[in-house]
Amino acid sequence: MKSAITICLVPEARRGPFVFHDGLEAGCRTAAEHGFDGIEIFPADANEVAAEVVRPLLDAHGLRLAAIGTGAGWVRHGLCLCHADEDVRLRARAFIASVVDAAGELGAPAIIGSMQGRTSGDVSRELALGMLADALGELGARAARHGQPILYEPLNRYETDLFNRQSEAASFVAANSLGPVKLLCDLFHMNIEEEDVAGALVACGRSVGHIHWADSNRRAMGFGHTDPGPVVAALRAIQYEGWLSAEVFPLPTASEAAARTMASLRRHLAA
Ligand code: LER
Ligand code: MN
């Protein structure tokens, strides 16, 4: 398994669960200093993560790209995949598609988290899930052309009412034959929603495509009450070899969050 840490480039998400907020160059430098294998970027749009911008920084600091988030489409533009307005839905898909292409060029997948949206007065659950399946099918096929999966992230109940639990999302993906879609399992959301975090990971098996390595309170692992031992044992049991990426608040400071994350990974991956 490989270690990654988040870099947010969106000023509106300054208070969000991302460790570094001082630009790509500074984020890469600090990530490398702390010993991370890679970075995960939350950009304002695909232009910010063009290969000619990101590749030289990765190479200079000996890092790899773990994934790129698409949430700025929601945070900045109010776009989501099951919005009642078709024009908004199409713009949401176009936004994500551009990130899929930028990430794909860099050998990484894109993440669909808050861009999934939620049901509303005009959009029933049935309708919303149809829109989600259709979008994941199209965007997954696009990701597959780059040899990448697309990462679908179930969120906790305060952020979406589409899928809050991993196994329900895995069943939806299988029922709709969404082959290129893998699950992003965020341990913070799972701590809220799952009966048994490790058991849920085992149940999802090969569907697990990415991990957000966060403690129960969304601080760096070690600052809350999650026991990472059973989580790592579950990931080993399903032969997960992907990223453990710190999507956490920069508390008490970004540097301490990075150091605590790395300490937790070294301790539990070596065990
Ligand atoms: C995104 O990865 C996530 O976890 C959501 O809670 C959006 O912030
Ligand atoms: Mn997450």
Side-chain angles (χ1 to χ4, degrees):
M1 288 180 255
K2 300 160 285 183
S3 60
I5 192 158
T6 44
I7 301 175
C8 174
L9 304 178
V10 183
E12 294 93 320
R14 173 110 219 154
R15 298 176 70 82
F18 308 103
V19 179
F20 299 129
H21 294 264
D22 295 324
L24 212 41
E25 164 100 67
C28 285
R29 189 179 348 103
T30 319
E33 281 166 7
H34 282 277
F36 284 89
D37 300 315
I39 54 163
E40 179 178 318
I41 309 174
F42 187 87
D45 56 38
N47 295 328
E48 271 194 332
V49 282
E52 61 267 27
V53 176
V54 178
R55 174 74 62 208
L57 289 173
L58 294 175
D59 290 348
H61 295 285
L63 294 164
R64 288 173 56 197
L65 183 63
I68 302 185
T70 61
W74 168 250
V75 172
R76 189 169 264 198
H77 306 290
L79 305 175
C80 69
L81 294 175
C82 58
H83 198 280
D85 182 337
E86 187 185 10
D87 179 59
V88 177
R89 293 199 301 274
L90 289 175
R91 287 197 292 129
R93 280 196 202 196
F95 185 94
I96 296 169
S98 64
V99 177
V100 165
D101 289 345
E105 212 173 312
L106 290 156
I111 297 169
I112 298 178
S114 46
M115 284 291 274
Q116 66 192 274
R118 52 168 73 219
T119 66
S120 61
D122 297 322
V123 182
S124 66
R125 179 165 185 82
E126 191 188 357
L127 211 49
L129 294 187
M131 292 168 178
L132 181 66
D134 198 56
L136 288 177
E138 182 184 299
L139 293 163
R142 193 170 186 118
R145 291 204 288 274
H146 296 282
Q148 292 297 325
I150 192 150
L151 300 172
Y152 170 68
E153 179 174 20
L155 305 176
N156 74 69
R157 66 191 70 182
Y158 306 107
E159 298 188 38
T160 188
D161 56 3
L162 299 185
F163 290 106
N164 306 125
R165 291 179 186 230
Q166 302 298 333
S167 60
E168 289 162 9
S171 302
F172 171 78
V173 166
N176 288 282
S177 305
L178 299 169
V181 178
K182 296 284 178 200
L183 298 177
L184 196 176
C185 304
D186 182 323
L187 299 177
F188 164 72
H189 297 304
M190 293 181 78
N191 173 65
I192 295 171
E193 298 295 348
E194 305 287 350
E195 268 169 55
D196 170 5
V197 171
L201 292 168
V202 170
C204 291
R206 307 303 287 181
S207 301
V208 176
H210 195 82
I211 300 290
H212 277 161
W213 183 252
D215 213 320
S216 51
N217 49 8
R218 219 169 204 183
R219 294 191 178 204
M221 190 65 86
F223 285 133
H225 57 72
T226 294
D227 178 1
V231 172
V232 169
L235 292 171
R236 287 208 170 104
I238 60 172
Q239 296 174 319
Y240 177 73
E241 287 178 355
W243 294 94
L244 302 175
S245 182
E247 187 193 61
V248 298
F249 292 115
L251 296 171
T253 64
S255 179
E256 284 169 274
R260 185 59 78 103
T261 295
M262 190 40 79
S264 76
L265 290 172
R266 289 210 167 115
R267 176 163 169 230
H268 290 281
L269 294 183

